[in-house]
Amino acid sequence: GPKTDSLAEALAIVQHHDAVTGTEKQHVANDYAKRLSIGYTEAEKVVAESLASLTVGETKRSPQIKFQQASSDCPLLNISYCPASEVDLSNGKNLVVVVYNPLGWKREDIIRIPVINEKIVVRDSSGKKIQSQLLPILDAFLGLRNYHTVAYLGVSPTVKPKYWLAFSATVPPLGFSTYYLSNAKKDDAIPDKSDTAYASWKK
Amino acid sequence: SDTVTVGLKNLKLVYSMREGKLTQYINSRSKVKESLEQAFKYYAGYGNDGTETAQASGAYIFRPNDSPSPITPNRKSPLTVFRGPIVHEVHQQINSWIYQTTRLYKGKEHAEVEFIVGPIPIDDGVGKEIATEIKTNLASDKTFYTDSNGRDFIERVRDYREDWNLEVNQPVAGNYYPINLGIYLKDKSKEFSILVDRAVGGSSIKDGQLELMVHRRLVQDDSRGVGEPLNETVCIHDNCTGLTVLGKYYFRIDPVGEGARWRRSFGQEIYSPLLLAFTESEGHWG
């Protein structure tokens, strides 16, 4: 099965003083990035298998959820590229978001993921609806996203997400919480769209 | 109104509409109220003029040519505010290559600033080192604190070394320190802290002010061994542009003596963020 050895080896190499401070030649920096990326990709599979194992109780209750095959995280989430979250929920699909807390205390944090639908309802694992908010992904940001997904992944994104969906997650220490995103029904409260105020320089 | 206030509960930030910039920090719970100004600036890198004594700014050496140049915001771009029940955001396009979003989240008493900087233009042949600074009125008396490899904080005194008499030849570079976790300063009543999501350089060049160097692009080798200028690019096939960086820092002002808890616990949360995984399912959520 997948291992974390290649990531450990890449991390060991980048503890060289040139890698820490950025005093290596550019082609060496590129090699460091490549090694880390290869290690990360393999370690990601270990995490997916671990989540499948951790969530075994949940998958027994909901056998249609198969984390092992389908789970994926998003290393380019910072530039709003996350194909796993850009699922069209209007055709009856649900998006399952597993949030793992690697620290030893309970945390409440805001999750932000790119989405393509406007009418989304977020539920926690008990089915309780969670308040959420949509924020527009601005054109300037999408330009950055498109350029870098091509440059770093060699992938030209086919889906253009419209919004960041923000919701509050509560996660136990060294544990996980599960959130379900689905298409909102008529009586569901949909995410609040952000009010916008523009401060014109001339005003 | 001349001002716009953002923030969901205890923490509020006030922006001047006329100038399009941050002016005040208010925490109604801790009763902290402080004037604040945030801006970008750049240090032009010292160029290697070919003489033996010249020392160019490069990968190893930060050597600014002169005092920093302010990067004035583009007056054609408005300041945009998004408000909702989870987060308030303020978007600012500073110029064609600097974009900034400031976020105040529900239930949090710090501000998150996300910066997108790059590609740094070097068409004029001048390398540039970009810093963001926040000015307050705290009387910090030349003293500030930076983390030691993400652990303890070490006291730094501007233009002073404990072990020898310092001759100040580099008033900026000589006071820069590596920032892995954060930097803070204090006076008799308040302390102002910044935490970072990555290793950067940082300093307090004036009392009450903190700055972080967020990006650098230089045109000369500094002759310390690397043998090439610090000029990273991103390429699609043969078309290359200078690197764009996207990063975050977080700031907060506390009554004096109350900032350490946040620096320690939130610092851990930056270092170990929540890990997300996604999958799809069919049918009813349950």
Side-chain angles (χ1 to χ4, degrees), chain B residues 174-237:
Chain B
N175 288 301
Y176 252 70
Y177 292 91
I179 312 296
N180 309 283
L181 168 65
I183 181 169
Y184 74 94
L185 52 77
K186 62 183 178 182
D187 67 6
K188 285 179 183 164
S189 62
K190 294 173 201 154
E191 56 189 78
F192 166 40
S193 315
I194 301 179
L195 298 182
V196 295
D197 73 337
R198 65 199 52 215
V200 293
S203 187
S204 173
I205 300 298
K206 289 178 185 165
D207 282 357
Q209 176 258 24
L210 291 176
E211 69 178 61
L212 301 172
M213 185 177 291
V214 294
H215 197 8
R216 324 169 64 203
R217 191 179 186 194
L218 297 161
V219 293
Q220 302 286 348
D221 176 31
D222 59 12
S223 307
R224 297 285 159 153
V226 70
E228 58 187 41
L230 185 72
N231 179 10
E232 193 167 0
T233 56
V234 181
C235 301
I236 297 177
H237 304 301

Side-chain angles (χ1 to χ4, degrees), chain B residues 4-278:
Chain B
V4 59
T5 302
V6 295
L8 283 136
K9 208 177 169 191
N10 296 333
L11 178 59
K12 303 267 194 273
L13 293 180
V14 182
Y15 287 79
S16 156
M17 296 284 261
R18 204 156 8 107
E19 296 173 274
K21 66 181 186 186
L22 180 60
T23 58
Q24 205 164 42
Y25 176 105
I26 303 165
N27 187 321
S28 55
R29 182 195 55 80
S30 62
K31 309 277 186 269
V32 167
K33 195 171 181 182
E34 181 61 34
S35 293
L36 215 61
E37 252 185 64
Q38 186 267 333
F40 285 90
K41 61 184 179 181
Y42 74 88
Y43 294 98
Y46 194 90
N48 190 342
D49 62 7
T51 62
E52 264 185 39
T53 52
Q55 172 60 68
S57 201
Y60 295 85
I61 308 285
F62 168 37
R63 193 181 185 198
N65 197 15
D66 206 344
S67 344
S69 305
I71 298 175
T72 44
N74 184 349
R75 292 195 159 261
K76 285 178 187 164
S77 300
L79 179 141
T80 312
V81 181
F82 296 99
R83 287 198 183 98
I86 310 274
V87 59
H88 285 189
E89 286 193 354
V90 179
H91 291 243
Q92 292 167 282
Q93 172 117 36
I94 309 298
N95 62 20
S96 61
W97 50 276
I98 301 181
Y99 198 91
Q100 178 173 273
T101 306
T102 305
R103 301 192 178 102
L104 298 182
Y105 289 108
K106 185 178 82 169
K108 305 284 181 193
E109 293 193 4
H110 61 258
E112 172 186 297
V113 182
E114 184 177 80
F115 54 86
I116 301 173
V117 178
I120 299 170
I122 50 168
D123 310 342
D124 54 4
V126 178
K128 297 173 188 71
E129 318 198 34
I130 314 303
T132 180
E133 65 175 339
I134 302 182
K135 293 177 193 165
T136 69
N137 289 328
L138 269 69
S140 52
D141 192 22
K142 293 186 171 183
T143 306
F144 57 104
Y145 303 82
T146 67
D147 68 279
S148 172
N149 212 18
R151 294 179 173 85
D152 197 6
F153 276 83
I154 296 178
E155 183 181 281
R156 316 290 191 181
V157 179
R158 195 162 60 248
D159 297 335
Y160 174 77
R161 301 292 185 273
E162 201 178 344
D163 302 329
W164 74 93
N165 291 324
L166 179 70
E167 184 187 340
V168 180
N169 295 313
Q170 289 289 328
V172 175
N175 288 301
Y176 252 70
Y177 292 91
I179 312 296
N180 309 283
L181 168 65
I183 181 169
Y184 74 94
L185 52 77
K186 62 183 178 182
D187 67 6
K188 285 179 183 164
S189 62
K190 294 173 201 154
E191 56 189 78
F192 166 40
S193 315
I194 301 179
L195 298 182
V196 295
D197 73 337
R198 65 199 52 215
V200 293
S203 187
S204 173
I205 300 298
K206 289 178 185 165
D207 282 357
Q209 176 258 24
L210 291 176
E211 69 178 61
L212 301 172
M213 185 177 291
V214 294
H215 197 8
R216 324 169 64 203
R217 191 179 186 194
L218 297 161
V219 293
Q220 302 286 348
D221 176 31
D222 59 12
S223 307
R224 297 285 159 153
V226 70
E228 58 187 41
L230 185 72
N231 179 10
E232 193 167 0
T233 56
V234 181
C235 301
I236 297 177
H237 304 301
D238 290 333
N239 295 323
C240 298
T241 65
L243 192 73
T244 299
V245 297
L246 183 152
K248 288 179 188 172
Y249 65 89
Y250 308 84
F251 70 88
R252 171 171 168 139
I253 305 175
D254 287 290
V256 71
E258 292 181 19
R261 173 186 283 269
W262 178 72
R263 288 192 296 270
R264 183 55 55 201
S265 57
F266 189 65
Q268 291 280 300
E269 294 183 8
I270 297 169
Y271 185 73
S272 299
L274 293 174
L275 179 69
L276 300 182
F278 304 92

